[in-house]
């Protein structure tokens, strides 16, 4: 992506307090579960004369706690977050930060996942194969009311948004946010016990969710469940 990445041997980007942040600059918040990616973006964006990174997080919990106080103008969001479904996170950010612009930067490029993100409150969607210059321009565009989309997905997004929410979704729209979380983990091969630990619920509750998911999606096997999750972009192949 043309971003300079920083390893443990380099110092972290300097912390920026709100008192030090010029009001004329765009306040950017970064959400990505890879520290080296966040730090690379923080360095690159802070070099722009009209931008300043006011915070970054690798989990949904940290992001929601910190953005509540720093009130960013633009939030750059990766959908692959370990402690919460990415679409659910977008909805929570939209409710908490109604004035902020939410720009997704994700490895997912299927039309269902992109349409889901836009319906959940994102105003733009870029794929991670984008060049750094495209991401920077996307941030400026979304901040001024634009809706940046990667050229590789623009056509698919238009088609998907014209469909009813349930059409082509593989039935995922019938699932609750918690059932989506369980499905994502189980389809990725995570055990029932580990799924329970990650979501802070009991293994019995995971099994209850599994039964409901199978019934709602019409699945008869774990292989079939995984195929649906891959086809709809809930997990990567």
């Amino acid at each position: 992506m043309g971003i300079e990445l920083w390893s443990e041997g380099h110092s972290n980007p300097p912390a920026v307090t709100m008192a030090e942040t010029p009001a004329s600059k765009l306040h950017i918040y970064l959400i990505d579960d890879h520290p080296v990616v966040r730090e690379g973006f923080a360095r690159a964006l802070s070099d722009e004369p009209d931008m300043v990174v006011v915070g970054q997080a690798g989990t949904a919990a940290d992001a929601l706690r910190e953005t509540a106080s720093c009130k960013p103008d633009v939030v750059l969001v990766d959908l692959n977050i370990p402690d919460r479904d990415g679409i659910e996170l977008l909805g929570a950010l939209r409710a908490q930060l109604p004035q902020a612009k939410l720009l997704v930067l994700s490895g997912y490029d299927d039309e269902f996942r992109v349409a889901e993100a836009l319906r959940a409150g994102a105003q733009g969607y870029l794929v991670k194969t984008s060049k750094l210059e495209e991401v920077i321009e996307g941030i400026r565009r979304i901040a001024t009311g634009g809706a940046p989309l990667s050229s590789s997905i623009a056509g698919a997004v238009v088609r998907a948004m014209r469909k009813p929410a349930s059409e082509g979704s593989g039935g995922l729209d019938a699932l609750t946010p918690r059932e989506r979380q369980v499905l994502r983990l189980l389809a990725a091969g995570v055990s029932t016990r580990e799924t329970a630990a990650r979501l802070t619920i009991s293994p019995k509750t995971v099994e209850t969710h599994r039964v409901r998911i199978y019934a709602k999606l019409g699945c008869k096997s774990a292989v079939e469940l995984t195929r649906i999750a891959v086809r709809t972009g809930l997990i990567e192949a």
Side-chain angles (χ1 to χ4, degrees), residues 137-159:
E137 180 58 27
I139 291 173
R140 292 192 177 109
R141 285 185 58 200
I142 203 170
T144 55
L149 294 175
S150 290
S151 58
S152 61
I153 62 171
V157 171
V158 172
R159 291 191 297 272

Side-chain angles (χ1 to χ4, degrees), residues 28-39 41-42 53-68 70 75-83 89 93 128:
I28 315 296
Y29 193 91
L30 309 174
I31 304 175
D32 194 292
D33 63 333
H34 293 98
V36 70
V37 173
R38 296 197 311 271
E39 292 165 12
F41 267 116
V53 176
V54 296
Q56 53 176 283
T59 67
D62 287 344
L64 290 170
R65 182 180 65 255
E66 293 176 6
T67 54
C70 71
V75 184
L76 202 61
V77 187
D78 179 12
L79 297 181
N80 192 25
I81 298 297
D83 61 332
L89 172 59
L93 288 167
K128 282 195 169 181

Side-chain angles (χ1 to χ4, degrees), residues 114-137:
V114 177
E116 259 200 328
L118 297 177
R119 290 190 179 105
Q123 290 109 327
Y125 197 112
L126 301 177
V127 294
K128 282 195 169 181
T129 52
S130 302
K131 295 180 180 179
L132 175 60
E133 293 77 12
E134 294 171 336
V135 176
I136 292 173
E137 180 58 27

Side-chain angles (χ1 to χ4, degrees), residues 161-185:
M161 295 300 287
R162 286 175 177 170
K163 298 177 183 178
S166 60
E167 187 178 342
S169 68
L172 294 188
D173 55 296
L175 303 183
T176 66
R178 176 63 84 187
E179 287 169 348
R180 284 173 182 262
Q181 289 179 312
V182 172
L183 168 57
R184 182 160 62 102
L185 292 170

